[in-house]
Amino acid sequence: MVGTQIEGQVVSFNRGAGFIEFEHEGKKEVCLFRPNRLYIEGEKIPAGKIKTLEGIGKYLNIGDKLRAEVRPANDLKQYTVLDGEGKDISLTPTWYSFYAWKGVAPQISKTQANMSEDMTDPEAGAPPCKDLIIDNVPGKIIVNQLATGTGRRSVGQTLISFNNPDGDPDIAMFRFPKLFFMNGKRIQPKEYNKWDVDYEIDVKFTAVYTPGMKEFSLKLENKTTEMQRETVFKPNWRARLVWVGEKPTEEMIQEEEEARIRGKASQTVLDAISGCDYMTTRVEKILNKNQGILTLRSSHILFHIENLSIDGTHYTTQENLLDILQPGETLFAYAKAVNPPYKFEDFEITHEAVQVWRGRKNFVVKSQTGEKEKDRKSKSQIPLPSEATHTDIMGTVEEIETPGLGYLIIKSDDPSLRGQKVLFSRNRLYINENKLKFKQSLNDHLNIGDVLQFDMVQANPDQSLSTYNWIAVLAWQGATPNREEINAELCKKTESYRGKVLLLSESKDCGYTDGVVQIIGGPNKIGEMVVFNRVSTYIHGTCMKHADLAYVLKINDKVQLELNELPTSSTEYHNVNNKYQSEIRYSASTVWIGNFPRGDENYEDTVFTSTVVTPFVQKRGLTLDMFLALARGDLPPKSSKSSAPGEDKVMGLPPNVTFGKVVELKRREQSSSLINPGVQDGIVKIDNGPFAREKAFFHRSSLFCWGHNCSKADLMYLINENDVVRLEVQGGTNNKAVPCKVTSAWIGPHKSEKNKESVAMAGNPVFMKWLADHGLNIGDFHKVIKGEMKPKPFFPFATEPHQSRLANLLYGANGEADAGILRLCQNSANSKDGRKAPEVLFERESFYLWNVSHEKGDLSYVMNENDKYFVEVTDLIGKEKRKWQTRLGAENIPKFIATLVYVGGGRPKAERINDDISSNSNLEQWLKKRNILLAMFQRLVQGKLPPKKEQGDDVFSRAYPVGAGKEQSPFNNPSISNNMNRHKPFNQGAPNEFRAGILSKAVGLTQRTMTLHTPEDPGVRNLIQDDSEAQLALFLSKTLTNAVMMYRQGGPGPICPPGNPGPIGPPRSGRGRNELNEFYADSGMTRGGMSGRSEGLYGLAQPLLDYQANGSMEPPYKRKYEDW
């Protein structure tokens, strides 16, 4: 069937469907197409690249022009999808696309066209429809890589050439030998291991149409010219079953699979229990002294004390489970499923445990004769080849007992040896000088009757039990292996470690030849540093002894290594420590990336190079040829940007372990999440290393606590003020206050140690003490780690307290004072930011009044400007700083924010913040002095009082009209001294229009003044526009003149002026020309011997900015002997 070709615009798409809008016969239509039927420049997009919406987005955008071959839709459906702006739209496609393309039109075969015709209209977002399958198709294997198995089930691509249903030549690919049958039986490895890559064989197969598979290139040798040529193959089908001869039926395949499983089960370890599932569980609950419940995800396992073993110790019903285990401990178990599940003590039991253990397992089971015997026999080591008493003996394979063990019969002229039985092992067998790998089976390489040579020793009769007479310490087929090398390899006792590259060291004219690795994983030595050299460095089996390591390694790369200890008396030890200025006690005998270097890597093997080496070198900007040239030493040293080649440079390294102390936890913004996740972030102060005394950001996802990652934990439970954590730190945050960030932190075992979670158990006294110090038990600890505990109320860590005064309060949109600005009092201790009185922002959540939190109340009820408070501060940085810049409408804001603000009773205590208010007598006296009833205060802290309104407009409230327009005030910058006021542009609840009008006039006058270039500017003539502005200008002029003279006489004055400010009035006669207060009104009131002033500008009952002087300030209620 030939469809209609259309061209239109993409209006929406998701993972399962896309929609094209186009015009047809003069009206707009919508067509539905599938992303997995999309072609770009004639090529179909591989299915693996469009499994996600992000993947599709790399090839397609809303608004793109597409062409498609379409047909009318059989069933009209309405779809609700997202348009380009993320809004929901409803589309009803009337056409369905066979395929769509962008750019060059694809060449569509009949097979693909027929496949498209068979498709039904899909649901948007639904998985693809049925596959196109061909069966019983003859073909020929043209590329045979069945012998390239890696021991992980799959092999290299094996390709079958055939004619597809259109009659065109095509290629199918398969990689699983278990899909290959010969005469009704699955092919055995011993058969296909002998096949070469060019071994051709006629087969039949079943395959599924899979367009979009990657091209496959292979170098094949021309037998006539003996030249290699690279051939590119493009498979379009994936073979599901391949056979020679009789086609295997479903029953035959099932029987083969069951036989394979039975054979595999017989090869498993002896302690596997038939019919049981192996589980790693956690103790959920101890029901009574003999029974308990284990949990694995949604499964609950009932176990009995008699089935429990702890480090080989067994228990009886006379003992108590409550004394042995605690909830949360990790246990291993073999358990049988129960069907149907049943209820027991409020738990739905899905399994019953047969064996439960921790540590060394030591169970006994009954044999068929009823006698008890250990289910695991002690293994005896095979003697070394050097211990052989008879060498170069010949024998024939009599039996292959298991994949790793077999028996030989000796062929010898010596009648005392002839015919005797010899046990041999896969671990000591070499085929053509290549040792068998652990995953390989003897059955894959040997047949009964094959001849082997071997060295042997007499068997121990107690172990052999008369089943064999000798043990082969070394066996081989083909060339004789090197006994000395094998003996040395077996004698070498090394442990493999994982490390990260800390530093590469440069040598003259050779580039980077050595460096330092820090151990991050292994059985021990976590954090230790190890020096290494390029001579012992291998990249995917290739030695780098002639290479510049900068081509293939970079800082923080992960490597594997084996190491030796450096004797402290050796010259190498002293040279290394002098060079790196750090204590380094180990040197690497081997460092490698990829598989352990065996020396048998074949770079002529295209499968090895294309799948293993090439991806690695391409990430380093190299080609395979460049990499091989690097290994030969043919590439020049890589240029260094840090120092000239050959320059001797003393290099500093971080310590083996970096310690730090958490100095601050960040309060979580409640509005940022519907669910409170608890405290997620904090700041650490580093104790040692190159970043010592610096601060670092850290997030809970980087913390491991007793082996468990804390990505879901509330840090308030896990971090105390005195806790010391171990860190991995990185610089470069571009923040002067906190220049570093924590990449990894841990409490307890290192995050890379094996079985690290096992230390978090009741038997560990250090862990139990840590739990007690943090007020947790094992059950609660695991709930915290999983994020299942209710977040703990936030309370900040203690820092140095400072005395401060309230500069002003800040009001939210609802009219409540929910924040404010403090100014630190002048003294030598308060010298933060290089100023004598820096400003500090605070929020009501951090304010405490006599140990009572004020996180919900309006601060204006209990705080007055110029009142004294104690404050603990931290730097205002990051998201918090941006939040305040947005709120205050200015870039230049105070650099500090309060973690705690308090008055009365000393520093608040976390354990007392929930005390009953009515029993707080000190608070009651403080409130009484301010005419606040206790009941009213209780409603205030509960957030039940309305915002406090300003009182008492004076009789002159209409002296000046309100200024029109939105005020643009320099007071928007609250870091300017004394300019922070409660009438900010963001304060929508300012009640006194008269005050706002005067302030607006003063701001406008100041702004116009600042536009003038000099005091003689001609614009001065039009600067003052009415009498009210003239009054303001005189007030500002005289006040600033007075301030300048006082500054020149004795430096900056105190925060508060010496007396009460007075109102502005007309000039008074009788005063001298040098008096600066000629525009202050008379006031007979004096305070402390100083001439007084009344309460503000002329026409105002109080100062414009509600400023209160020392003389009129009423200090907070204080206890006797309290030091202010």
Side-chain angles (χ1 to χ4, degrees), residues 185-477:
K185 293 186 178 181
R186 184 177 281 112
I187 191 171
Q188 299 299 314
K190 65 178 67 176
E191 296 182 51
Y192 61 72
N193 278 341
K194 301 174 183 177
W195 294 348
D196 295 327
V197 174
D198 57 356
Y199 181 78
E200 296 184 353
I201 182 172
D202 292 324
V203 297
K204 291 186 177 181
F205 64 96
T206 299
V208 60
Y209 182 63
T210 314
M213 287 196 293
K214 294 181 180 178
E215 291 185 346
F216 170 64
S217 60
L218 185 67
K219 289 184 179 179
L220 298 176
E221 183 177 335
N222 190 321
K223 294 183 178 178
T224 58
T225 62
E226 296 185 353
M227 297 289 290
Q228 284 192 343
R229 58 184 175 83
E230 185 171 359
T231 306
V232 178
F233 301 94
K234 180 66 172 67
N236 292 309
W237 303 77
R238 191 181 301 275
R240 288 183 172 179
L241 186 65
V242 183
W243 67 90
V244 175
E246 180 187 0
K247 179 181 177 181
T249 63
E250 291 292 336
E251 293 76 12
M252 294 168 61
I253 297 173
Q254 185 66 26
E255 289 176 5
E256 284 285 335
E257 187 66 17
E258 290 176 356
R260 186 181 68 85
I261 293 174
R262 285 196 302 270
K264 186 175 180 180
S266 66
Q267 300 164 14
T268 55
V269 293
L270 294 174
D271 58 0
I273 299 177
S274 177
C276 292
D277 297 323
Y278 171 78
M279 299 178 172
T280 302
T281 66
R282 177 174 56 83
V283 178
E284 178 71 19
K285 185 177 181 180
I286 305 299
L287 300 176
N288 51 53
K289 62 180 295 186
N290 291 330
Q291 289 181 307
I293 300 292
L294 305 175
T295 297
L296 175 62
R297 293 185 288 274
S298 60
S299 300
H300 291 104
I301 303 101
L302 179 67
F303 75 99
H304 195 273
I305 191 171
E306 291 183 333
N307 297 324
L308 177 66
S309 171
I310 304 295
D311 291 324
T313 303
H314 298 274
Y315 301 93
T316 67
T317 54
Q318 303 302 315
E319 293 163 291
N320 193 339
L321 269 180
L322 296 169
D323 299 331
I324 302 170
L325 299 175
Q326 284 199 11
E329 291 191 56
T330 300
L331 295 177
F332 304 98
Y334 278 114
K336 288 186 177 181
V338 293
N339 192 15
Y342 60 90
K343 285 281 187 179
F344 187 79
E345 296 280 346
D346 297 329
F347 290 94
E348 185 174 4
I349 304 301
T350 58
H351 293 74
E352 292 179 348
V354 177
Q355 291 182 2
V356 181
W357 74 94
R358 187 185 69 217
R360 181 169 57 87
K361 185 182 176 187
N362 185 24
F363 284 97
V364 295
V365 297
K366 289 186 177 181
S367 65
Q368 293 180 353
T369 61
E371 297 177 354
K372 289 187 177 182
E373 60 180 19
K374 287 189 178 180
D375 62 350
R376 177 174 292 182
K377 298 178 181 179
S378 59
K379 292 184 177 180
S380 59
Q381 292 186 345
I382 300 176
L384 295 172
S386 59
E387 300 175 15
T389 57
H390 297 71
T391 59
D392 295 312
I393 306 299
M394 189 171 293
T396 58
V397 178
E398 182 195 47
E399 179 187 355
I400 297 178
E401 185 179 47
T402 68
L405 293 176
Y407 295 99
L408 301 166
I409 298 297
I410 298 176
K411 295 173 60 177
S412 175
D413 296 334
D414 186 346
S416 63
L417 298 178
R418 189 186 310 127
Q420 294 200 24
K421 202 170 185 179
V422 182
L423 175 70
F424 74 100
S425 170
R426 167 184 57 195
N427 298 332
R428 297 290 180 87
L429 176 62
Y430 288 76
I431 305 294
N432 295 324
E433 297 186 292
N434 293 320
K435 182 182 177 182
L436 260 65
K437 297 178 181 179
F438 175 74
K439 294 284 186 180
Q440 294 176 314
S441 171
L442 292 176
N443 290 296
D444 298 342
H445 298 273
L446 297 177
N447 292 312
I448 303 301
D450 284 357
V451 177
L452 294 181
Q453 289 179 277
F454 52 91
D455 300 342
M456 65 182 187
V457 297
Q458 189 81 34
N460 184 342
D462 295 334
Q463 295 177 346
S464 65
L465 301 177
S466 300
T467 56
Y468 54 92
N469 311 100
W470 303 83
I471 295 177
V473 295
L474 183 64
W476 65 92
Q477 188 180 64

Side-chain angles (χ1 to χ4, degrees), residues 701-878:
S701 60
S702 66
L703 176 65
F704 285 77
C705 186
W706 295 99
H708 297 271
N709 184 259
C710 300
S711 59
K712 298 180 180 179
D714 180 3
L715 295 181
M716 285 297 299
Y717 286 102
L718 303 178
I719 304 292
N720 285 347
E721 296 183 44
N722 300 320
D723 282 349
V724 174
V725 296
R726 288 177 284 179
L727 311 166
E728 290 179 4
V729 183
Q730 180 179 326
T733 63
N734 295 324
N735 188 300
K736 292 181 180 180
V738 187
C740 307
K741 65 179 179 180
V742 174
T743 57
S744 181
W746 61 97
I747 297 171
H750 190 277
K751 65 185 183 67
S752 299
E753 287 187 21
K754 295 180 179 179
N755 302 319
K756 54 184 177 293
E757 294 90 350
S758 62
V759 300
M761 58 184 183
N764 184 349
V766 180
F767 173 64
M768 297 306 294
K769 182 180 183 303
W770 182 89
L771 287 180
D773 292 342
H774 291 74
L776 297 171
N777 55 43
I778 291 180
D780 289 344
F781 172 76
H782 287 283
K783 287 183 180 179
V784 170
I785 293 298
K786 294 178 180 179
E788 297 174 355
M789 285 284 280
K790 181 180 178 182
K792 193 175 182 179
F794 178 83
F795 197 79
F797 291 167
T799 59
E800 180 186 1
H802 300 272
Q803 292 185 24
S804 65
R805 293 182 185 272
L806 179 64
N808 72 298
L809 295 174
L810 302 176
Y811 291 76
N814 61 356
E816 288 186 351
D818 59 356
I821 300 177
L822 300 168
R823 187 176 295 108
L824 301 186
C825 295
Q826 297 181 55
N827 59 64
S828 58
N830 294 335
S831 58
K832 298 182 72 66
D833 195 33
R835 292 181 288 169
K836 291 186 177 181
E839 292 81 17
V840 178
L841 289 164
F842 75 96
E843 296 177 290
R844 61 183 174 184
E845 288 83 1
S846 61
F847 178 61
Y848 288 81
L849 183 63
W850 288 96
N851 221 96
V852 177
S853 173
H854 210 77
E855 63 179 346
K856 297 180 180 179
D858 185 346
L859 295 176
S860 61
Y861 280 95
V862 292
M863 300 185 79
N864 293 311
E865 293 179 13
N866 227 27
D867 282 356
K868 279 188 176 181
Y869 301 96
F870 284 109
V871 59
E872 297 176 5
V873 304
T874 187
D875 298 284
L876 182 60
I877 53 178

Side-chain angles (χ1 to χ4, degrees), residues 582-609:
S582 296
E583 184 182 7
I584 300 178
R585 299 184 294 167
Y586 301 94
S587 66
S589 57
T590 310
V591 175
W592 71 93
I593 290 177
N595 293 328
F596 183 82
R598 300 286 183 184
D600 57 355
E601 289 77 9
N602 180 14
Y603 280 84
E604 299 300 324
D605 182 356
T606 55
V607 175
F608 172 69
T609 55

Side-chain angles (χ1 to χ4, degrees), residues 99-137:
Y99 54 90
W101 68 91
K102 183 194 294 187
V104 179
Q107 298 297 322
I108 304 298
S109 67
K110 295 179 183 177
T111 300
Q112 292 169 291
N114 293 335
M115 184 177 178
S116 296
E117 286 183 29
D118 293 338
M119 307 291 285
T120 57
D121 290 353
E123 289 286 345
C129 299
K130 64 180 182 179
D131 296 318
L132 176 63
I133 299 175
I134 55 176
D135 188 22
N136 206 26
V137 180

